[in-house]
Amino acid sequence: MSSPRLITILAPAYKEAGNLPRLIEALGSMADAMAEAGEIYEWEFLIVNDGSSDDTVTVLKGLREKDSRVNYLNLSRNFGKEGALLAGMDYAKGDCVVIMDADMQHPVSAIPKMIREWEKGYDDVYGIRLSRGKESWLRRRLSGLYYDILQRTTRVNVLRNVGDFRLLSRRAVDAMRSMRESQRYTKGLYCLIGYSKKGVEFETANRAEGRSSFSLAGLLSLGIDGITGFTIAPLRIASVIGLFVSVVAFVYLVFVLTKTVFFGEEVRGYPTLLCVMLFLGGCQLLALGIIGEYIGRIFNETKGRPVYFVDDYNGDKVTSDM
Ligand code: UDP
Ligand code: MG
């Protein structure tokens, strides 16, 4: 018999000291239950500590001492979830990688289902949120609107209600790792890589402890990254509006000139003038802002900086960035 395949469970953790012991325990019993049912795998529970300021590091050290399946990676500071995920993918050893949140919002019970789909040959088994857990009305509406915009303007089909809870095969992980852009929108990248996909439904739980570290502003910024990272539709919309306004202005110009030539003109029209000026000024500023967003991205990407730096892996200092 060939040796059992290795499954990596990857969870980014930022100030999750209260949740990690629970997570590791739940994962451990899930793995044991699968082994009892005759589904034999080797396991790696890889936690990426994204520069937490609480005692996540100590907790992780303790967990690794108790359970050798636990591996942990300490980043040199807080890089954000997207950066932490890339770091985790770089260090994951598994034949497949299950990505999940460390706050117990993603049910461990869905993992065996995902693994079974992977065994059938799917490369990307994503979790479909049946409900979104405790979330404000505003956040839910904004999220719905956002996916509408994203789906209409991009060529990749960004799946709705699909989050970061998913299983990726080795080649899908390698595809993800090959994209090193620094303003990452991982959710979109999953869709970009293609490969055979399959959904598994799960019920989102509420956060076990602590609170979400994504503010509305943080989500907004991630949202803008999502759009500017995947489509140049806003630039095109700006051009179309510009073209439209120019055509209308030209027609009006012909009209005004003809009128003046044949019927003369009694000066007046200050309000019209002011409105037109303000409107055009607004359009120009908007277009400039959109262009600015993209130039900002170009600026950030051309620097080619690494997405993250590692402090230590399982307590061993890491000297270079890989
Ligand atoms: N997270 C992270 N770095 C950050 C913020 C969050 O690694 O800067 C992790 C966090 O520990 C959790 C996951 O990303 O495992 C999701 O975070 P959170 O629960 O705050 O987000 P939400 O569930 O509200 O989307
Ligand atoms: Mg959460």
Side-chain angles (χ1 to χ4, degrees), residues 101 103 105 207 212:
D101 282 359
D103 58 1
Q105 280 193 296
R207 206 167 217 293
S212 168

Side-chain angles (χ1 to χ4, degrees), residues 21-300:
R22 269 185 248 214
L23 177 73
I24 297 298
E25 198 198 298
L27 288 173
S29 24
M30 185 261 312
D32 298 342
M34 282 189 83
E36 260 170 52
E39 293 174 279
I40 312 286
Y41 294 102
E42 281 192 50
W43 296 88
E44 174 192 30
F45 306 145
L46 177 62
I47 311 292
V48 180
N49 170 26
D50 187 15
S52 308
S53 50
D54 63 353
D55 47 2
T56 300
V57 186
T58 347
V59 171
L60 280 172
K61 215 176 270 173
L63 286 169
R64 172 155 173 87
E65 270 159 28
K66 270 189 272 170
D67 189 341
S68 62
R69 291 175 292 191
V70 176
N71 283 329
Y72 64 91
L73 191 64
N74 281 318
L75 301 187
S76 61
R77 65 167 169 86
N78 179 256
F79 286 90
K81 182 178 177 187
E82 313 286 315
L85 278 177
L86 181 67
M89 289 184 205
D90 285 341
Y91 276 78
K93 300 194 193 85
D95 296 305
C96 73
V97 178
V98 178
I99 297 154
M100 68 187 300
D101 282 359
D103 58 1
M104 305 298 284
Q105 280 193 296
H106 296 156
V108 171
S109 56
I111 296 176
K113 282 188 255 171
M114 291 179 158
I115 293 172
R116 278 170 218 139
E117 296 297 343
W118 169 60
E119 287 286 4
K120 285 183 203 158
Y122 290 103
D123 285 285
D124 178 357
V125 186
Y126 55 87
I128 305 170
R129 266 181 296 210
L130 286 179
S131 64
R132 297 179 58 99
K134 205 158 57 185
E135 243 181 357
S136 70
W137 176 86
L138 182 68
R139 196 166 152 177
R140 196 170 316 189
R141 287 305 296 271
L142 284 180
S143 148
L145 181 71
Y146 177 67
Y147 281 111
D148 278 342
I149 297 176
L150 203 56
Q151 286 204 313
R152 296 234 171 101
T153 54
T154 54
R155 282 184 54 208
V156 285
N157 182 18
V158 177
L159 296 164
R160 189 181 281 267
N161 270 340
V162 169
D164 276 320
F165 186 29
R166 60 172 75 216
L167 179 151
L168 295 178
S169 68
R170 177 39 56 189
R171 62 177 183 160
V173 171
D174 289 341
M176 292 292 296
R177 292 176 55 205
S178 68
M179 295 181 275
R180 315 294 297 185
E181 62 209 66
S182 55
Q183 273 170 305
R184 302 179 71 76
Y185 181 66
T186 316
K187 258 189 223 181
L189 296 179
Y190 295 131
C191 301
L192 198 81
I193 58 173
Y195 292 125
S196 53
K197 296 189 183 329
K198 171 84 183 180
V200 163
E201 294 182 336
F202 75 93
E203 204 61 68
T204 311
N206 290 329
R207 206 167 217 293
E209 236 169 80
R211 50 188 307 226
S212 168
S213 32
F214 283 90
S215 59
L216 209 53
L219 284 177
L220 194 67
S221 147
L222 185 69
I224 292 178
D225 278 350
I227 289 184
T228 50
F230 281 88
T231 170
I232 54 164
L235 289 176
R236 204 157 288 163
I237 293 170
S239 319
V240 170
I241 293 178
L243 191 70
F244 176 76
V245 172
S246 310
V247 169
V248 172
F250 182 74
V251 170
Y252 187 60
L253 183 126
V254 171
F255 168 75
V256 170
L257 280 184
T258 333
K259 206 178 100 191
T260 317
V261 167
F262 291 104
F263 306 99
E265 170 70 43
E266 356 140 24
V267 186
R268 265 200 301 161
Y270 167 72
T272 338
L273 208 61
L274 191 70
C275 292
V276 170
M277 264 172 63
L278 288 181
F279 176 69
L280 288 185
C283 286
Q284 281 175 342
L285 282 182
L286 181 71
L288 270 181
I290 294 173
I291 297 172
E293 274 296 323
Y294 285 92
I295 294 184
R297 285 189 74 87
I298 298 172
F299 171 66
N300 278 331

